[in-house]
Amino acid sequence: VKSAIRLPPLPSLADLLRMLDLRARRQLSQNFLLEPRLLNKLAKAAKPLAGCHVLEIGCGPGGFTRELFREGAQRVVGVELDRRFQPCLENLQDCVRAADRDLELHFTSAVNFSTDGLFTLREQDLSADWHSQQLPKIRLVGNLPFNISTPLLMTWLQDIAERRSVWQHGRVPLVLTFQKEFADRLLADTWTRSRGRPSILTQYLCEARRCFDISGRAFLPQAKVDVTVVRLVPLRQPLIPVPYPYVNKLVKHAFAFPNKSLVACMETLFPPDRCDLLIRLFAETGTQPQCTPRELSIAQFSDLCQAYHRMCQTEGSELFDFTYIGKEDLWRTRKSVQRKVLNGLTVNYFTVANIVNKTRLAQQANQSG
């Protein structure tokens, strides 16, 4: 395995930008990270890189790409939309070829970029079995533009769940930069205000870890928000054993109104004339219908998703295909639907909960007395 290399002398990133008269474009959500110390720290978050093939999203002037090669990457596939950086990247391409490394450039949008064929069958030594502890010698990294980070992550999470794209080679780790606020949502725990749909979809598929934060003052031009570097490693077994489309739909409905009760959110999952299915969903899973979605753990979402998946299998495809968009009569009957659900869940929840609360209050009064 080839280790880190020493690249030929290259102009600094600031000098490159000055020589080529390059300025960040707001419509592309560009902010350049030029400090070598931070770029090297970002590359080390993806270690080990010795002998690895790396897919980098958003190469920019090539600062992060340099550090990937310095840390031992054998091949980097760079995806960059802005062709103004082509001279910088082609100059770096010539330098790494002299060191027997490979830089492959694609000037296109990362949203539309297809990874099919990037790591071909002849590179079997890059792959690793999904259930083994060993990770494949492939990495996905990127200093992502803020305006495309969310759709890219949602696409990659579905690819992980279905083990396609680069994840057909195994549990390929991701090292990505996000706005600090969005990173907090990815890593949010139960009962926190940041918890939402990205939290559930990320944590049930991946082991998510915060690496470090980067101040917005470190970017050129200065970013208005701080940035967080997050490392995601796909789990050997997803925490919710249900196909991704069912999980995505249920979680999306659950967090449609994150501050309201769960029954107010989940009623849009079923036709308005099928209150029995909503009652059955709460009864089978033992979920409290008056709690908010932020209070539910991954295990509780797993119970809900499995119950919903079973219903879709027994009731037919029409249930999964149902959508509340355009159903004018649904919103007129929301309160009546909720009353039917709460009345259908008789003593199993509310009476027992009241008895438990009264018992706890009595015990606390005795202890204080």
Side-chain angles (χ1 to χ4, degrees), residues 168-274:
Q168 64 183 315
H169 301 280
R171 298 186 298 121
V172 175
L174 304 89
V175 176
L176 306 169
T177 59
F178 298 103
Q179 290 187 33
K180 188 175 185 299
E181 180 182 357
F182 184 72
D184 292 340
R185 294 178 63 193
L186 295 182
L187 305 169
D189 204 352
T190 312
W191 290 87
T192 57
R193 290 189 58 84
S194 300
R195 193 168 178 83
R197 174 171 166 250
S199 315
I200 306 301
L201 296 181
T202 300
Q203 295 172 24
Y204 102 87
L205 288 170
C206 301
E207 178 188 351
R209 179 172 63 88
R210 185 193 306 269
C211 296
F212 59 93
D213 296 332
I214 302 176
S215 171
R217 296 189 298 272
F219 292 87
L220 183 70
Q222 180 174 322
K224 296 181 180 179
V225 295
D226 293 340
V227 171
T228 298
V229 179
V230 177
R231 180 183 173 98
L232 304 175
V233 180
L235 298 171
R236 282 179 281 182
Q237 287 290 347
L239 299 181
I240 303 179
V242 174
Y244 180 85
Y246 296 90
V247 179
N248 183 41
K249 184 175 182 180
L250 185 138
V251 173
K252 182 179 180 180
H253 281 262
F255 284 97
F257 309 103
N259 295 321
K260 294 189 177 182
S261 63
L262 197 60
V263 65
C265 303
M266 301 298 285
E267 64 175 338
T268 59
L269 196 60
F270 302 102
D273 59 342
R274 295 302 307 272

Side-chain angles (χ1 to χ4, degrees), residues 281-298:
L281 180 70
F282 287 115
E284 287 187 4
T285 59
T287 305
Q288 174 62 262
Q290 287 189 320
C291 69
T292 64
R294 292 180 175 135
E295 299 173 20
L296 299 185
S297 65
I298 298 291

Side-chain angles (χ1 to χ4, degrees), residues 11 19 93 100-101 140 147 156 172 187 268 272 281 360:
M19 287 187 296
Q93 192 176 42
D100 195 25
R101 306 295 168 97
L140 194 156
N147 60 343
W156 291 336
V172 175
L187 305 169
T268 59
L281 180 70
R360 288 177 179 172

Side-chain angles (χ1 to χ4, degrees), residues 325-364:
I325 297 177
K327 303 288 185 180
E328 297 179 359
D329 59 334
L330 178 61
W331 295 104
R332 298 173 185 171
T333 59
R334 281 189 60 208
K335 294 302 179 182
S336 63
V337 169
Q338 293 179 29
R339 281 194 294 269
K340 289 180 182 179
V341 173
L342 297 178
N343 291 334
L345 297 170
T346 53
V347 298
N348 292 335
Y349 299 100
F350 306 109
T351 305
V352 174
N354 290 333
I355 293 174
V356 171
N357 290 333
K358 290 180 180 178
T359 304
R360 288 177 179 172
L361 291 174
Q363 291 176 349
Q364 293 175 2

Side-chain angles (χ1 to χ4, degrees), residues 246 310-321:
Y246 296 90
R310 288 193 300 268
M311 292 179 189
C312 292
Q313 299 300 310
T314 57
E315 297 290 333
S317 59
E318 295 81 6
L319 180 59
F320 179 75
D321 295 335

Side-chain angles (χ1 to χ4, degrees), residues 7-288:
L7 294 175
L10 291 167
S12 68
L13 296 177
D15 291 339
L16 279 175
L17 296 178
R18 193 178 304 110
M19 287 187 296
L20 298 174
D21 193 24
L22 296 178
R23 290 176 173 82
R25 288 181 174 175
R26 180 176 296 180
Q27 60 269 31
L28 296 180
S29 188
Q30 289 179 336
N31 297 90
F32 304 137
L33 185 61
L34 304 181
E35 188 174 341
R37 179 184 63 84
L38 290 175
L39 290 169
N40 181 258
K41 190 176 181 180
L42 184 57
K44 286 183 176 179
K47 291 181 70 173
L49 286 172
C52 286
H53 291 220
V54 182
L55 174 60
E56 182 188 2
I57 306 298
C59 301
F64 188 22
T65 315
R66 296 182 187 187
E67 299 303 325
L68 292 172
F69 282 113
R70 287 184 175 129
E71 291 298 321
Q74 172 62 32
R75 174 184 173 220
V76 175
V77 179
V79 180
E80 174 57 53
L81 178 61
D82 195 345
R83 282 192 171 270
R84 297 181 302 158
F85 297 117
Q86 189 167 351
C88 307
L89 296 173
E90 288 181 346
N91 181 36
L92 179 60
Q93 192 176 42
D94 295 336
C95 292
V96 298
R97 281 175 180 169
D100 195 25
R101 306 295 168 97
D102 184 25
L103 173 58
E104 181 180 327
L105 299 174
H106 297 268
F107 292 95
T108 183
S109 171
V111 177
N112 302 322
F113 181 69
S114 174
T115 59
D116 295 338
L118 280 183
F119 309 102
T120 56
L121 295 177
R122 60 184 176 83
E123 296 167 340
Q124 289 290 347
D125 57 323
L126 298 179
S127 302
D129 183 75
W130 190 275
H131 298 285
S132 68
Q133 292 186 350
Q134 182 180 1
L135 297 177
K137 293 184 179 179
I138 303 172
R139 301 289 185 269
L140 194 156
V141 302
N143 181 15
L144 300 180
F146 296 154
N147 60 343
I148 64 170
S149 59
T150 301
L152 277 178
L153 180 63
M154 294 298 108
T155 300
W156 291 336
L157 289 175
Q158 184 170 2
D159 290 341
I160 291 173
E162 299 176 359
R163 300 184 187 179
R164 64 188 185 190
S165 185
V166 297
W167 289 276
Q168 64 183 315
H169 301 280
R171 298 186 298 121
V172 175
L174 304 89
V175 176
L176 306 169
T177 59
F178 298 103
Q179 290 187 33
K180 188 175 185 299
E181 180 182 357
F182 184 72
D184 292 340
R185 294 178 63 193
L186 295 182
L187 305 169
D189 204 352
T190 312
W191 290 87
T192 57
R193 290 189 58 84
S194 300
R195 193 168 178 83
R197 174 171 166 250
S199 315
I200 306 301
L201 296 181
T202 300
Q203 295 172 24
Y204 102 87
L205 288 170
C206 301
E207 178 188 351
R209 179 172 63 88
R210 185 193 306 269
C211 296
F212 59 93
D213 296 332
I214 302 176
S215 171
R217 296 189 298 272
F219 292 87
L220 183 70
Q222 180 174 322
K224 296 181 180 179
V225 295
D226 293 340
V227 171
T228 298
V229 179
V230 177
R231 180 183 173 98
L232 304 175
V233 180
L235 298 171
R236 282 179 281 182
Q237 287 290 347
L239 299 181
I240 303 179
V242 174
Y244 180 85
Y246 296 90
V247 179
N248 183 41
K249 184 175 182 180
L250 185 138
V251 173
K252 182 179 180 180
H253 281 262
F255 284 97
F257 309 103
N259 295 321
K260 294 189 177 182
S261 63
L262 197 60
V263 65
C265 303
M266 301 298 285
E267 64 175 338
T268 59
L269 196 60
F270 302 102
D273 59 342
R274 295 302 307 272
C275 300
D276 59 304
L277 294 178
L278 188 55
I279 295 173
R280 178 178 156 195
L281 180 70
F282 287 115
E284 287 187 4
T285 59
T287 305
Q288 174 62 262

